[in-house]
């Protein structure tokens, strides 16, 4: 098979200095990489914050007075670090429905 | 164009001598070039510095191999360095020594014209330190007709500042008045 | 009105940076460059130059700081030599693609090993393909003039590229000689304030230093190369403007007594002055020898050099750097490549000399001319001048 052209831009059309507008990762929803999602059993949760601190993508949001942490599923990649670190085994990685 | 090589020991001001005389000549509207023999600088080690003075722009950037004048700031260097190496047959050897011309000729077999001055004696008397560069410059300026005491005032002031410049000007002037070719002062 | 002074070339370069009113100097001392940044640190400490002097802990940090400050819109200068340039290497390749017009004075010195503090061109040649505009000075006056021109060229909105001003270590940097130092009003007429093309600004943030995947890396490199090649026109324009303000004429390639010359010597840097004297002497003896000198090394001035060499029968190219593992030095390779398609292709000879501070004298050029005129065939590999037979 002939290799398709990989180039996505012409040299002359690049911004000077190869710069870009910042914050582009916000628009890049990584949640669709996920095959399993974290599901929290709030009965077991002690609001220790381990999931919040350990999440490599920073998707957990502190719910404050409700005393729990909520993952933003637009960005959660389903890595399972939160479930692994949770001292109360309150997080279960559950298969995404297809 | 005349080419000059200075011999001294690290810390005695051989490089400064070449620089001051270049700045003096440039201040007089001439062209000049001064540069050290490049390398790690070590106090006490034999050092050389080079100087060219010309009425026209100088483009030559090689070292000086056949000088018109050799200036020896420290007599002890003559025991370890052949200071008249490459000196032109009609060149001039200017030596800081308390010995006479003939004694030096006998000891080192110098054949060129010479001028000897007790620069160390003048330096110790005027500057109170054994640094002979400005004294030797006075002798050089006189013997070679390159500058007068008036010509060095500005470069000396710039280099030495208000506290040391007058003493160095005095040292220069003392040598300038005393030095002569084929003589000892 | 310019002032004629007897000054060490390194100090004069620092004075030029002061006249250019640099905003940031980030540097680490190394022989034989030290006097440049030492004097700049004095000028800043004494309040004569209103700049931030950043005494970094390494040359890598020096160039990192310079790229950052340039991207933030500050007129930026640094200087280095040899191992210092080698330690900067990683950042040297970054500045051009980010289009940060850092000005770098290199007091050219041999690269280790063996360790050597003296002059040759191995340092700049090690980064010759990094994307910097490279200027070479022949004497102290040019070191000052090229430093001022470097700011004008690099910061031109059409260019926005870093510029190195190459000053032979010791044989230029440590010479005291007469130099016309321009006054501030003249410099201000020549050099407009820095208006950065890209600028890090909290109010209007941008991302600088991005990843380029296979889909765009080629294009990002090509865009930089296009900018570098296009900068030659701005270099020429800046030299014209320099002449208009200061009265000194500079060209990217300069010829000396090449008319009717059978052998033309090609050189860069301060040895060209000594070469010109040797050529005067050889001409007096009836030898048809000329000199071509590159002031601009990158972007390579191909058309101008080809024109300068168009009538030569023999071209003797001098390299101050030994490329290990190939038959010619960097300038030798460029000239051979340039002349391959020339209509009257001359014979090209390549000579390596003046490495690690070995003095380059008129005799070396006489030796080269004699070797070329006695040669019957073609030279297959560079020859070294000034070594034991």
């Amino acid at each position: 098979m002939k290799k398709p052209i990989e180039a996505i831009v012409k040299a002359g059309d690049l911004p000077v200095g190869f710069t870009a507008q910042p914050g582009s990762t916000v628009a890049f929803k990584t949640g669709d990489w996920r095959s399993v999602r974290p599901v929290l059993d709030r009965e077991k949760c002690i609001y220790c914050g381990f999931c919040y601190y350990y999440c490599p993508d920073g998707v957990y949001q502190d719910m404050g007075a409700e005393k729990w942490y909520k993952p933003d599923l637009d960005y959660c990649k389903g890595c399972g670090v939160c479930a692994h670190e949770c001292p109360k085994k309150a997080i279960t990685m559950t298969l995404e429905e297809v | 164009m005349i080419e000059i090589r200075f011999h001294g020991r690290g810390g005695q001001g051989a490089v400064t001598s070449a620089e001051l005389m270049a700045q003096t000549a440039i201040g007089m509207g001439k062209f000049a070039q001064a540069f050290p023999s490049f390398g790690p600088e070590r106090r006490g080690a034999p050092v050389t510095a080079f100087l060219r003075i010309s009425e026209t722009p100088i483009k030559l950037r090689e070292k000086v191999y056949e000088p018109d004048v050799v200036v020896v700031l420290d007599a002890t260097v003559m025991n370890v360095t052949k200071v008249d190496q490459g000196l032109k047959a009609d060149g001039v050897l200017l030596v800081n020594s308390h010995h006479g011309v003939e004694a030096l000729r006998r000891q080192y077999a110098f054949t060129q014209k010479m001028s000897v001055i007790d620069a160390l004696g003048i330096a110790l008397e005027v500057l109170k330190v054994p640094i002979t560069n400005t004294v030797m410059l006075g002798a050089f300026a006189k013997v070679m007709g390159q500058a007068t005491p008036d010509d060095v005032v500005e470069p000396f002031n710039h280099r030495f500042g208000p506290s040391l410049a007058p003493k160095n000007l005095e040292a220069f002037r003392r040598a300038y008045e005393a030095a002569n070719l084929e003589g000892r002062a | 009105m310019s002032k004629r002074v007897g000054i060490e070339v390194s100090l004069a370069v620092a004075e030029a940076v002061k006249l250019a009113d640099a905003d940031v100097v980030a540097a680490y001392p190394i022989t034989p460059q030290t006097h440049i940044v030492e004097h700049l640190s004095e000028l800043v400490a004494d309040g004569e130059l209103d700049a931030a002097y950043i005494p970094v802990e390494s040359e890598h940090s020096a160039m990192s700081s310079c790229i950052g400050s340039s991207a933030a819109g500050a007129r930026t200068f640094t200087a280095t030599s040899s191992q210092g340039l080698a330690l900067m290497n990683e950042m040297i390749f970054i500045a051009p693609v980010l289009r940060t017009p850092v000005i770098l004075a290199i007091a050219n010195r041999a690269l280790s090993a063996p360790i050597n503090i003296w002059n040759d061109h191995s340092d700049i040649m090690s980064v010759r393909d990094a994307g910097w505009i490279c200027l070479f000075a022949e004497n102290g006056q040019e070191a000052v003039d090229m430093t001022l021109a470097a700011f004008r060229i690099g910061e031109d909105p059409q260019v926005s590229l870093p510029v190195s001003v190459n000053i032979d270590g010791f044989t230029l940097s440590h010479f005291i000689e007469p130099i016309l130092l321009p006054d501030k009003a003249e410099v201000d007429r020549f050099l407009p304030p820095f208006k950065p093309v890209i600028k890090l600004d909290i109010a209007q943030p941008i991302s600088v230093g991005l990843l380029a995947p296979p889909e765009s890396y080629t294009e990002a490199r090509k865009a930089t190369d296009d900018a570098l090649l296009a900068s030659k026109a701005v270099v020429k324009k800046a030299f014209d403007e320099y002449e208009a303000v200061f009265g000194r004429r500079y060209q990217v390639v300069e010829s000396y007594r090449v008319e009717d010359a059978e052998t033309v010597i090609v050189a860069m840097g301060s040895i060209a002055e000594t070469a010109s004297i040797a050529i005067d002497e050889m001409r007096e003896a009836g030898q048809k020898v000329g000199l071509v000198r590159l002031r601009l090394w990158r972007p390579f001035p191909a058309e101008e050099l080809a024109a300068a060499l168009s009538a030569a029968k023999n071209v003797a190219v001098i390299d101050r750097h030994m490329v290990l593992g190939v038959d010619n030095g960097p300038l030798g390779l460029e000239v051979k490549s340039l002349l391959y398609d020339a209509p009257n292709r001359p014979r090209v000879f390549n000579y390596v000399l003046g490495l690690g501070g070995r003095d380059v004298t008129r005799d070396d050029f006489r030796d080269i001319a004699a070797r070329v005129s006695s040669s019957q065939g073609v030279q297959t590999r560079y020859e070294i001048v000034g070594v034991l037979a």
Side-chain angles (χ1 to χ4, degrees):
Chain A
M1 190 190 105
K2 187 172 176 290
K3 182 181 85 97
I5 290 188
E6 285 183 64
I8 53 168
V9 64
K10 290 181 180 174
D13 294 336
L14 285 170
V16 173
F18 202 62
T19 60
Q21 292 304 307
S24 60
T25 50
V26 172
F28 189 13
K29 302 280 172 69
T30 49
D32 60 5
W33 298 10
R34 192 174 58 237
S35 56
V36 286
R37 69 165 65 198
V39 175
L40 175 67
D41 180 351
R42 285 186 63 186
E43 293 295 315
K44 293 183 184 169
C45 175
I46 57 169
Y47 190 48
C48 68
F50 272 31
C51 53
Y52 175 87
Y53 291 113
Y54 275 101
C55 175
D57 275 300
V59 305
Y60 276 95
Q61 185 189 353
D62 187 343
M63 300 306 284
E66 294 181 30
K67 294 198 167 189
W68 66 293
Y69 293 89
K70 181 183 175 186
D72 185 339
L73 294 177
D74 277 351
Y75 300 102
C76 170
K77 295 169 184 163
C79 70
V81 167
C82 53
H84 186 268
E85 295 299 336
C86 178
K88 293 293 177 187
K89 301 292 171 211
I91 299 171
T92 309
M93 299 309 291
T94 310
L95 269 178
E96 289 284 355
E97 300 285 333
V98 182
Chain B
M1 179 170 73
I2 66 164
E3 298 183 299
I4 303 102
R5 187 175 65 221
F6 291 84
H7 290 274
R9 291 186 181 278
Q12 291 175 337
V15 176
T16 305
S17 299
E19 291 178 3
L20 281 171
M21 191 44 69
Q23 284 165 334
T24 300
I26 292 165
M28 294 165 72
K30 296 191 232 186
F31 295 86
Q33 186 190 67
F35 54 102
S37 63
F38 316 119
E41 286 145 30
R42 298 154 300 171
R43 182 166 287 266
V47 296
T48 51
F50 306 99
L51 170 66
R52 292 187 172 102
I53 301 174
S54 171
E55 300 296 327
T56 54
I58 302 167
K59 298 193 108 187
L60 208 54
R61 283 189 186 272
E62 58 188 45
K63 288 178 193 166
V64 171
Y65 295 97
E66 293 178 346
D68 300 283
V69 185
V70 166
V71 181
V72 181
L73 276 71
D74 183 327
T76 65
V77 172
M78 297 191 293
N79 294 328
V80 292
T81 304
K82 189 170 159 43
V83 295
D84 57 341
Q85 177 91 41
L87 179 61
K88 287 189 180 122
D90 61 351
V92 174
L93 187 60
L94 199 57
V95 181
N96 162 27
S97 173
H98 59 271
H99 293 298
V101 169
E102 290 314 313
L104 293 173
R105 280 196 200 286
R106 273 197 303 279
Q107 189 174 351
Y108 297 104
F110 295 138
T111 56
Q112 288 88 344
K113 284 175 278 186
M114 289 185 71
S115 176
V116 179
I117 189 162
D118 181 13
L120 184 62
I122 295 175
L124 289 173
E125 193 186 322
V126 179
L127 303 172
K128 318 289 183 201
V129 287
I131 296 177
T132 56
N133 57 350
T134 46
V135 186
M136 291 305 288
L137 280 185
F140 168 81
K142 168 73 171 300
V143 169
M144 299 310 297
Q146 287 293 328
T148 68
D150 287 344
D151 296 322
V152 301
V153 171
E154 199 184 317
F156 275 33
N157 281 339
H158 186 256
R159 168 61 67 121
F160 298 112
S163 63
L164 288 175
K167 282 183 185 174
N168 278 285
L169 285 166
E170 170 65 9
F172 180 95
R173 197 184 51 75
R174 283 277 300 271
Y176 186 84
E177 284 165 2
N180 56 11
L181 206 52
E182 288 304 308
R184 182 190 155 209
Chain C
M1 188 64 190
S2 294
K3 195 171 75 172
R4 185 177 186 267
V5 290
I7 186 171
E8 186 184 309
V9 173
S10 291
L11 272 53
V13 168
E15 292 289 335
V17 175
K18 175 187 143 185
L19 285 167
D21 205 8
D23 299 310
V24 173
V25 177
Y28 191 85
I30 181 170
T31 300
Q33 165 280 127
T34 302
H35 292 181
I36 299 175
V37 296
E38 192 175 74
H39 192 52
L40 277 168
S41 73
E42 283 171 356
L43 292 172
V44 172
D46 293 346
E48 288 189 47
L49 172 60
D50 180 18
Y53 186 94
I54 310 174
V56 289
E57 90 296 347
S58 77
E59 286 86 353
H60 188 281
S61 299
M63 188 49 66
S64 301
S65 301
C66 285
I67 291 170
S69 71
S70 182
R75 177 166 286 168
T76 303
F77 177 86
T78 187
T80 194
S81 296
S82 181
Q83 305 307 111
L85 185 64
L87 188 50
M88 269 182 194
N89 188 285
E90 185 178 41
M91 305 313 295
I92 285 283
F93 279 75
I94 288 170
V97 181
L98 300 191
R99 306 291 291 275
T100 45
V102 177
I103 306 307
L104 164 67
I106 308 174
N108 301 109
R109 161 185 155 184
L111 277 175
S112 298
I115 190 165
N116 176 292
I117 62 168
W118 295 270
N119 170 233
D120 68 27
H121 291 168
S122 52
D123 50 11
I124 178 60
M125 289 306 163
S126 74
V127 293
R128 69 185 185 275
D129 303 328
W132 287 61
I133 296 169
C134 302
L135 299 168
F136 274 80
E138 181 176 286
N139 54 39
Q141 187 66 57
E142 287 190 20
V144 167
D145 294 345
M146 289 304 113
T147 301
L148 289 170
F151 286 104
R152 166 71 186 82
I153 294 163
E155 293 173 0
D156 189 293
Q158 299 289 311
V159 177
S160 197
L161 283 168
V163 185
S164 70
V165 179
N166 290 271
I167 300 157
D168 281 320
F170 291 118
T171 43
L172 255 189
S173 66
H174 283 51
F175 267 55
I176 286 193
E177 55 188 73
I179 290 175
L180 291 165
L181 280 181
D183 72 19
K184 188 77 176 76
E186 285 177 319
V187 172
D188 288 346
R189 269 200 290 148
F190 171 72
L191 183 62
F194 178 32
K195 291 203 181 78
V197 175
I198 54 163
K199 190 176 179 196
L200 287 172
D201 182 349
I202 292 168
Q204 290 176 303
I206 53 168
S207 288
V208 172
L210 308 177
L211 172 90
E215 290 83 354
S216 59
Y217 177 84
T218 307
E219 286 73 18
R221 301 290 300 174
K222 178 66 164 50
T224 310
D225 190 33
D226 289 345
L228 182 58
L229 289 172
S231 73
K232 189 174 73 176
V234 177
V235 174
K236 289 178 165 185
K237 185 163 150 261
F239 285 171
D240 288 344
E241 291 169 7
Y242 205 89
E243 185 185 14
V245 175
F246 301 102
R248 286 184 290 281
R249 172 107 193 105
Y250 292 119
Q251 292 170 274
V252 296
V253 171
E254 282 179 7
S255 299
Y256 183 70
R257 304 189 81 167
V258 292
E259 56 293 346
D260 82 333
E262 287 174 5
T263 296
V264 172
I265 293 171
V266 180
M268 298 199 293
S270 66
I271 63 164
E273 289 220 312
T274 303
S276 72
I277 301 289
I279 278 164
D280 288 344
E281 292 172 0
M282 285 190 275
R283 282 276 182 179
E284 266 176 51
Q287 289 177 264
K288 291 183 175 176
V289 187
L291 173 71
V292 165
R293 179 167 91 79
L294 277 76
R295 179 171 287 108
L296 180 67
W297 164 236
R298 289 290 189 269
F300 189 66
E303 295 89 352
E304 293 80 359
L305 185 58
L309 299 175
S310 60
K313 292 195 179 90
N314 305 299
V315 175
V317 185
I318 295 175
D319 270 300
R320 310 279 318 280
H321 170 51
M322 195 183 290
V323 174
L324 308 186
V326 70
D327 292 331
N328 289 108
L331 188 51
L333 285 171
E334 300 292 13
V335 173
K336 279 198 170 180
S337 166
L338 174 71
L339 297 176
Y340 183 81
D341 292 323
N344 301 304
R345 194 167 62 194
R347 293 193 299 170
V348 178
F349 300 81
N350 190 203
Y351 298 96
V352 170
L353 54 75
L355 300 192
R358 187 165 297 174
D359 199 21
V360 178
T361 69
R362 287 164 288 175
D363 284 342
D364 294 326
F365 300 104
R366 283 191 275 268
D367 181 12
I368 286 168
R371 289 195 203 198
V372 169
S373 63
S374 66
S375 167
Q376 300 301 313
V378 294
Q379 186 199 51
T380 54
R381 192 180 180 208
Y382 70 81
E383 294 169 44
I384 310 177
V385 175
V387 288
L388 297 174

